[in-house]
Amino acid sequence: MKMYRETFKRLSPIGLALAIATLIYTIITGGQDCFGESTRSYSTSAIGMTPVLLYYAFSAVIFGMYGFSFLFKRSASDAYHSLPVTRTDLYLSTTLATATWMGGTIVLNVLCMLGMQLIGGCPFVPAYVPLSIAYFFVASMIIYAATAIGCALSGTYLTALASTGIVLFLPRFIQFIIARGVVDKTSIIGWLDLGMWLNPMTNVATGMVVMQSRSLFEPFAVQWPYILYSLLPMAAGLVVGWLLFLRRPSEAAEHGTSRKLWPLVTATLLAVAAMAMITVNNQALISVVGAAIVAVAFLIFVVYQVVAARTVKQILLSLPCLLLAGALAYGVSLGTGQAVQSMLNVTPKPDEIASVTFRGHDYKLGTPEYVTLLLNRISYTDDEMKKYISSSLSDAVDRVNDPRNAAYDEYSQYQMIEPITLKLTNGQTVDRTILFKNIDTLNELREKDSAYQTAIRSFPDQANMQYLYVNRNFTDAECQAIWDSLKTEAKALNLVTNDYYRKQSETDTLDPSGYSYQRGNAQVLISLSYGGYVGDRRFVDYNTSVRMETPKTAALLMKTYNKYMKPDTIARMREAIKHISSPLALENDSVNISLTFFNVPRTGGEPAQIPINLYLSVYNKRNDSSSATYMDYADRFADIVKRGTPTDDPNGMFVWLSWNDYDSSNPSSEQEPDCFLSFSDADQQALISLIDEMQTANLY
Amino acid sequence: MIIAQNLTKRFSDVAALDQLNCHIPEGCVYGLVGANGAGKSTFLRLACGVYRPDEGSITMDGHDIYENIQLKKRFAFVPDEFWMLPQSTVRRMATFYASSYEHFDFKRFESLAHELNLPVSKPLSTFSKGMRRQAATILALSSGADHYFFDETFDGLDPVMRNLVKQKLYAEVFDRGATVIITSHSLRELEDTCDQLALLYKGGIVLESDVGDLKTSLFKLQVAFSGDYDASAFEGLEVLNINRQGSVSTLIVRGSKEKSHALLAAKAPLLLETLPLTLEEVFIYEMEALGYAFETAEGGNKQ
């Protein structure tokens, strides 16, 4: 205990400096988020709870190096090793003191961020507080453990640092190469389908580096399973560090390495990594690229040996190990190939599947929809589903084995990729990402499950909502009123508001002219976006739409839009159109007019939603011959639209007008508020004629 | 008693200590003399448990010293280069040592610092080499240990301070029965300090003896003959060195003192006298016999 206190005190200059520096950084960056003009409307991720990610990567190394600095100077090493303190006590006191400083700093930073979020009124996820503390602490301790091993193996700062990097990254890098080989060779197994032992994110320390290189991983980095898994490498690293520390000769101080074999083993593993990089991707070693990689491996091997061994004799004696490295790399390649083949061989028959879970079409986005969070808890066990999954998986495997497989040519326009988890009757769990030929078929099978039916019609509780967006002009109360109305109406009518789970073949219908329309109740006025969290999982939804099927909500939406309509908006739109034709207009001046017509009578079905976009610019006028045609249509539409009256009735034909212009002489011009307008019967006919005319001319 | 048996320590391919044997009795001042690279510091580090022996053993009271905390509580090591915590003072170092020496005596620490006039609150980085050695000595003497290991500690002290420190060490030996082990390449330094002395050469002890009763086969004779004489006059003797001034020759001889005396007496010398050998002379001639030539007694050696 005394030695722990003493070590804690000894580390205090570093600990205090890092704690203060990180706190300042957290306050500045966190403050910008929490108290800035654009105060965050949606909670930060778990990683964002401590903006000082780099602190954890480097502080553990700094603490480790500083804590064990007595190993690198003979006088200090003598002083420490002459003390009546066991090596175990020395190691434990350094480790515990480091853990105290790092843990304290992490807690302090997270609490500081939390405090600022509370004071600033920013939304946050309470579960992220323990999660981010645990994540960063375990990550830091893994890095510290690698540093402890590096220090125990070395006698100088430089070699200790190199050893730390090698201990921390080399095994994971070789693992990463194997994982890359698997992912490259099997399109149905993505990075997120890999098992715990191959997943590059399960080790939270090296995961921090991986997610910097592949943003796909970032949303998945901080989660309890990985943290718990990482306790293993953390504990293993600390124990190995301790054992090496116990056996470390004191006289290693000021010498490169404490173990003669270490440089040789390291150089060999580096060469293995270099050569494995190519062999796992099926590149022949005799190819030009292969030869280059072997040359690089040779260079790495020799350079490391020169630095560590320092004698020509030892380098020459160790050269046969390069052959061993080559053989190992080839073994890694063969092993990867075998692993891939055994993964592809997993094509269970329906009766071999115990259950199937869908992780969600948006699973790989990291922040899925609310519905996904509910759906991925459902296990499907009915025979029809098992049969469909078995068949889809077999097709997918066939496709991997033969990319020219014609089976996929039959796939419909509604095919969809979804990640699934299969639990087999033999207890095995299999994650795959496969292409389903028709999402409607899949959804029909899922609809047989009542839990699925409930989930796709669910809305998050108000307490879990952090963010809701309808339109930038609307107040929070107005957005909330629309949201509440949609929820009430959808529940009363038992509707599915999330587009992904609606029948895709009914969402868009083709008319005889070949145009695809949304018709009748499927016409979409707007898609809402909202976000929040359930437990420690955040959700964001952009797929929930207000359609004609909820007329009360549609009316409320139209009414709210029109509340912000400017009385002279049409007149100014016409002025803007006229301005583009004017010789005084500048090169960059433009007008963008979006007219979305609803309930337009169409042949072959219900009334349809027809969007028409007219982009008029001086540049196009001078360079595009068709520009005059669009200009003409804009004038003609504007001539009719000017007679429109604001409406909140979604039953008749109406238009949603949205326009804005860019005036080079006044670039700060604001976005014009949108509005909904209805027309007299005569004007409706005139508009329909214009729409038909444009359609005939293939102009929209 | 600290006993080394066939003690061997290698660094790479070089044996710093090779099959070394020695006995260090309790309650004495034990000096270890040797040239640079003889293995003095290595021996000291093995003796106080810093290094682990490659072969052989070094024990105290029958127990291995390495990683033996009970024994190490009784040891205080003052290395040739004093290590200090960054930006620390002597007082800070005292708290550092107190964290591992459970009987560290702060009163004694303050008292010794006062006696040696050492500023305990000043940064150690401002101290001279001698002051740092004083600080290291004070800390060791306050640790509550009863075995002190000094690695060429006195070499950096001025004569006044050297005597003062020696007095403190004598007091430890006389009052508490402490054991002091000192290494030095300066014989004169140890001659008047140690009870026991060992000569270390190429990783082995070539001489271990009481200082007051040197167990050496060397002796010094002063002899003069009437008339001229040359080296043949000393035939039958193993003469290591002859120094002639006029008719008087001073010889360093190895062998039986009585037989040599009788051999010369038979040649009717004008003067025949056995003179005491200084420790330095023993050291020089023993080492010369092993092929180590000195230019001077202290430093400046050549091998």
Side-chain angles (χ1 to χ4, degrees), chain B residues 66-109:
Chain B
Y66 184 74
E67 279 293 278
N68 188 328
I69 299 308
Q70 292 312 314
L71 291 182
K72 285 170 91 171
K73 280 179 184 171
R74 297 172 60 190
F75 293 173
F77 176 48
V78 181
D80 51 348
E81 188 186 345
F82 175 53
W83 171 79
M84 55 199 180
L85 290 162
Q87 285 88 44
S88 62
T89 62
V90 189
R91 184 168 279 131
R92 171 72 186 91
M93 289 303 293
T95 59
F96 172 77
Y97 280 102
S99 69
S100 50
Y101 284 99
E102 57 191 38
H103 299 301
F104 191 91
D105 187 343
F106 277 98
K107 269 188 186 170
R108 183 164 165 72
F109 164 74

Side-chain angles (χ1 to χ4, degrees), chain A residues 347-423:
Chain A
T347 50
K349 295 188 178 76
D351 59 350
E352 292 171 333
I353 299 173
S355 68
V356 58
T357 305
F358 295 88
R359 280 176 281 156
H361 68 100
D362 51 357
Y363 168 75
K364 294 191 178 182
L365 297 176
T367 310
E369 293 167 354
Y370 173 73
V371 171
T372 299
L373 297 181
L374 304 180
L375 290 179
N376 60 25
R377 297 173 191 164
I378 302 171
S379 293
Y380 301 85
T381 52
D382 69 282
D383 291 342
E384 218 174 330
M385 176 66 91
K386 288 178 190 174
K387 201 174 161 187
Y388 183 68
I389 292 297
S390 172
S391 146
S392 299
L393 182 56
S394 291
D395 285 348
V397 170
D398 288 347
R399 179 67 174 262
V400 174
N401 289 328
D402 178 10
R404 292 164 299 174
N405 192 328
Y408 272 66
D409 296 341
E410 300 164 14
Y411 281 15
S412 72
Q413 62 175 312
Y414 304 116
Q415 60 190 23
M416 190 61 71
I417 293 173
E418 280 212 29
I420 57 168
T421 300
L422 296 178
K423 286 218 169 13

